[in-house]
Amino acid sequence: MRIGIEAQRIFRTNKHGMDYVVLQEILHLQRIDHKNEYFIFVKPGPDRCVEDSPNMHIIEVKAASYPIWEQIALPRAAHEMNVDLLHCTSNTAPLHCDIPLILTLHDIIFLEPRDKHNKSLYQNMGWLYRRMVVPRILSKCRRIITVSDFELKNIVNKLHIPESRLAMIYNGYNSWFQEQEDVENIYQKYMPQRGFIFFLGNTDPKKNTERTLVAYSKYLEKSTIKRPLLMADLDRQYLNDIISRNHIENIREHIVMPGYIPNSDLPYIYNAAFAFLYTSLRESFGIPLLEAMACGTPVITSDTSSMPEVGGPEAILVNPEQADEIAKKLIQLETDESFYKEKKEAGLRRAKLFSWEKTSHQLLELYKEVYMERKRLSK
């Protein structure tokens, strides 16, 4: 097979969720499959995180914007490489492409109600682009991959796609996320001491940042230790607005905001953290849950969407809309040593159920299935 994979943004420096997913899928396919030929279509960038190998070719494709790259430059490059199928990995795909398509539809959040006023122009344009492209492309895809049973049912119910055209393939987590007895001092770039609370939040309303900070305020009122809170990738003015609006000035001196944290530093942060907060209102999967668990860090997460499915009973599940409940579980972790140890050990067991190697083997089987279908139809 000649397999094309769209990975437009993996060479950019500041990667985010979907970038890491396709990057790990590519690296593991490169490791497990030496028979088929791969063509990885990327936009040029400074972080060349994948290199060519005998059966994997990096094809740099240039274009002025994301839509032009995907709708014009990508199908042209795929035709030039004569691929048998094209896997588009980030929710959208070319509208006009006669190559058999596989689409990873991570979620359909773009179809749900949202507050446009709290978004950047870039975010709003991306939202509009997905709303325009996705409904038009789904009927053209040979398979649609999604990443959890929750999201699969969501897609079936809202887009009325037969389950026979859907495939659920769980994400994994990187092998360097593991428990370490002696954590390197890398975490000290962000926090002077171990034992802090870690929260990956941003301005997207689904991340539930405001309510989580209210919960942290309630925790500080009851805690005798008052652990600091490390927050990644959050704007200072956004924090000030939340503090002012909720009258929680008590949190200001306990919060550390270093900005963007590279993925390579996260294992050291998880290992040094006392607990990890992942209190989103909605997630299609939730890789940070697994990363924290694999490092032996107890996880407090939401009882909504995919998070109970991924975290299982090994995670500490809370109602994300109840700040008191989040605060109560932080206090329980802090005051109940046996509860803390139980959740730490349970998380380590849970994480072992997921891996990028398993994900990539399932992808390869799906590629074979679509390829054989194409051969049968062409006869």
Side-chain angles (χ1 to χ4, degrees):
M1 289 185 291
R2 294 171 67 86
I3 300 165
I5 299 178
E6 171 274 316
Q8 182 186 162
R9 296 173 295 194
I10 62 169
F11 281 7
R12 66 179 178 177
T13 304
N14 290 356
K15 297 178 186 54
H16 294 281
M18 290 186 289
D19 308 332
Y20 285 116
V21 171
V22 65
L23 173 59
Q24 290 306 314
E25 289 172 348
I26 289 166
L27 290 172
H28 283 79
L29 284 167
Q30 192 174 41
R31 190 175 301 164
I32 68 170
D33 185 10
H34 303 288
K35 179 180 178 182
N36 297 294
E37 197 163 6
Y38 291 86
F39 300 86
I40 312 302
F41 301 105
V42 304
K43 189 173 182 178
D47 183 16
R48 195 176 177 88
C49 47
V50 183
E51 295 293 343
D52 290 276
S53 59
N55 68 323
M56 185 169 281
H57 316 288
I58 309 303
I59 312 298
E60 293 194 357
V61 180
K62 297 179 180 179
S65 66
Y66 188 104
I68 294 173
W69 191 97
E70 182 170 77
Q71 297 302 324
I72 299 174
L74 173 62
R76 182 186 297 153
H79 273 287
E80 288 173 357
M81 295 300 112
N82 193 30
V83 299
D84 295 309
L85 59 89
L86 177 61
H87 179 191
C88 293
T89 64
S90 303
N91 290 342
T92 54
L95 290 167
H96 303 288
C97 181
D98 57 8
I99 299 168
L101 285 175
I102 297 172
L103 174 69
T104 297
L105 187 57
H106 293 267
D107 59 61
I108 52 172
I109 293 173
F110 59 90
L111 293 177
E112 299 170 359
R114 73 196 287 270
D115 183 359
K116 299 179 188 176
H117 301 291
N118 289 333
K119 299 285 188 176
S120 67
L121 177 62
Y122 176 80
Q123 288 172 318
N124 282 324
M125 292 300 291
W127 178 76
L128 288 169
Y129 179 71
R130 287 189 292 275
R131 287 179 72 91
M132 180 188 76
V133 170
V134 174
R136 291 169 172 83
I137 197 65
L138 295 180
S139 63
K140 302 177 183 181
C141 297
R142 300 292 178 92
R143 289 293 187 281
I144 299 159
I145 300 168
T146 196
V147 295
S148 64
D149 280 325
F150 162 79
E151 205 61 55
L152 185 145
K153 291 180 175 65
N154 208 23
I155 291 168
V156 169
N157 292 336
K158 293 184 179 179
L159 296 174
H160 310 293
I161 297 172
E163 284 199 42
S164 60
R165 293 184 53 233
L166 287 162
M168 195 284 289
I169 300 178
Y170 280 136
N171 291 324
Y173 67 93
N174 294 330
S175 58
W176 56 79
F177 287 94
Q178 55 185 286
E179 187 178 20
Q180 303 172 28
E181 290 185 8
D182 297 318
V183 182
E184 292 186 37
N185 292 336
I186 288 175
Y187 77 88
Q188 291 183 334
K189 292 194 294 185
Y190 309 99
M191 298 294 285
Q193 294 181 328
R194 301 179 59 141
F196 50 88
I197 299 165
F198 185 35
F199 174 56
L200 283 173
N202 58 40
T203 59
D204 190 325
K206 77 164 187 171
K207 291 299 183 182
N208 203 29
T209 299
E210 183 160 354
R211 199 174 283 110
T212 302
L213 287 172
V214 172
Y216 179 62
S217 172
K218 293 176 179 293
Y219 155 80
L220 288 175
E221 290 171 0
K222 297 178 180 179
S223 172
T224 57
I225 299 176
K226 302 190 189 309
R227 299 176 186 275
L229 179 67
L230 176 64
M231 299 180 64
D233 212 11
L234 194 69
D235 177 71
R236 176 67 63 177
Q237 186 56 52
Y238 183 73
L239 173 68
N240 291 337
D241 291 343
I242 290 174
I243 289 174
S244 175
R245 190 161 51 242
N246 293 279
H247 309 289
I248 50 174
E249 188 65 36
N250 64 321
I251 73 173
R252 192 183 297 278
E253 65 179 295
H254 298 283
I255 289 181
V256 177
M257 295 172 53
Y260 180 80
I261 298 176
N263 189 262
S264 57
D265 286 355
L266 286 175
Y268 307 103
I269 292 173
Y270 285 127
N271 268 277
F274 169 78
F276 177 57
L277 293 177
Y278 199 68
T279 44
S280 299
L281 297 175
R282 191 224 194 278
E283 294 288 342
S284 58
F285 186 78
I287 292 174
L289 283 178
L290 299 178
E291 294 173 344
M293 285 179 161
C295 292
T297 309
V299 174
I300 297 175
T301 193
S302 305
D303 60 3
T304 61
S305 63
S306 67
M307 288 166 280
E309 180 183 344
V310 177
E314 291 82 358
I316 303 167
L317 299 175
V318 297
N319 181 341
E321 298 188 32
Q322 296 296 322
D324 285 328
E325 196 172 328
I326 300 169
K328 182 179 178 181
K329 289 303 180 182
L330 278 171
I331 293 295
Q332 186 177 0
L333 280 174
E334 196 167 84
T335 58
D336 187 339
E337 189 175 339
S338 62
F339 178 67
Y340 186 92
K341 183 178 179 183
E342 172 196 334
K343 288 301 176 182
K344 174 186 175 78
E345 294 175 351
L348 288 166
R349 292 193 300 271
R350 180 72 182 179
K352 291 177 182 177
L353 300 177
F354 302 83
S355 73
W356 286 123
E357 184 176 2
K358 185 184 294 185
T359 300
S360 297
H361 276 291
Q362 290 177 295
L363 272 179
L364 182 55
E365 289 304 309
L366 186 66
Y367 294 158
K368 291 176 183 176
E369 188 178 300
V370 170
Y371 176 73
M372 294 307 296
E373 278 184 10
R374 183 195 185 191
K375 289 192 73 174
R376 285 196 299 269
L377 290 171
S378 65
K379 287 182 179 179

